[in-house]
């Protein structure tokens, strides 16, 4: 259902994802998308890109919110953000910081909430945009 796809896509864009693929994307499409996002490019199926343009055009001036603020993170959460940005798993982060995996999972959950991110990738993108990836 294209309308449903558009709604999910627009919600993902609001969460600041850098790439979006439809469910029927091939493994090659996924690999190409990961490479493109890693190189700082956005990935968007053309039909959904058009939906985004129409949505922005109907939303007023279409300019990003200049009042975007840096989320308030604790010292420990600020330690975790660069590690999330490096793509480390909770287990790897726990090992590096000498914490339990459960503690890391709780911190990551709170980071995602505070940043308003749907997932780790979105949080890493937001952190990069807000220059939070430096340890």
């Amino acid at each position: 259902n294209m309308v449903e796809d558009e709604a999910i896509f627009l919600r993902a864009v609001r969460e600041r994802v850098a790439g979006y693929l439809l469910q029927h994307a091939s493994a090659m499409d996924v690999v190409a998308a990961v490479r493109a996002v890693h190189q700082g490019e956005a990935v968007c199926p053309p039909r959904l890109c058009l939906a985004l343009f129409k949505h922005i055009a109907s939303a007023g001036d279409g300019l990003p919110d200049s009042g975007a603020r840096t989320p308030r993170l604790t010292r420990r959460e600020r330690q975790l953000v660069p590690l999330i940005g490096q793509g480390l798993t909770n287990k790897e982060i726990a090992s590096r910081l000498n914490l339990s995996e459960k503690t890391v999972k709780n911190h990551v959950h709170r980071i995602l909430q505070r940043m308003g991110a749907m997932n780790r990738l979105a949080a890493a993108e937001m952190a990069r945009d807000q220059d939070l990836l430096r340890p």
Side-chain angles (χ1 to χ4, degrees):
N1 179 338
M2 190 57 189
V3 173
E4 187 175 301
D5 286 346
E6 286 179 15
I8 294 168
F9 169 70
L10 291 172
R11 191 170 31 236
V13 169
R14 278 191 292 278
E15 295 294 333
R16 301 176 187 208
V17 300
Y20 189 92
L21 295 173
L22 295 174
Q23 189 172 4
H24 64 274
S26 71
M28 286 177 50
D29 291 338
V30 173
V31 170
V34 169
R35 286 185 176 141
V37 169
H38 180 72
Q39 294 173 349
E41 299 173 7
V43 176
C44 172
R47 293 182 320 177
L48 293 178
C49 196
L50 179 59
L52 176 62
F53 292 159
K54 287 179 179 177
H55 177 76
I56 290 173
S58 69
D61 65 10
L63 297 174
D65 177 12
S66 61
R69 59 179 179 78
T70 301
R72 295 177 66 107
L73 301 176
T74 66
R75 182 182 62 79
R76 177 64 84 186
E77 289 166 351
R78 286 193 307 272
Q79 286 179 321
L80 267 71
V81 169
L83 302 176
I84 293 169
Q86 292 171 24
L88 298 181
T89 65
N90 288 352
K91 187 174 189 170
E92 292 167 331
I93 294 170
S95 175
R96 282 206 186 175
L97 298 179
N98 199 26
L99 298 170
S100 77
E101 198 171 339
K102 176 93 169 124
T103 299
V104 171
K105 183 178 177 182
N106 289 335
H107 282 305
V108 170
H109 178 74
R110 279 195 302 277
I111 290 167
L112 296 181
Q113 281 185 320
R114 288 187 178 154
M115 294 184 84
M118 279 177 31
N119 56 44
R120 294 166 81 101
L121 177 61
E125 289 292 319
M126 291 169 68
R128 187 192 70 216
D129 293 345
Q130 296 173 13
D131 201 28
L132 299 174
L133 291 182
R134 281 181 277 146

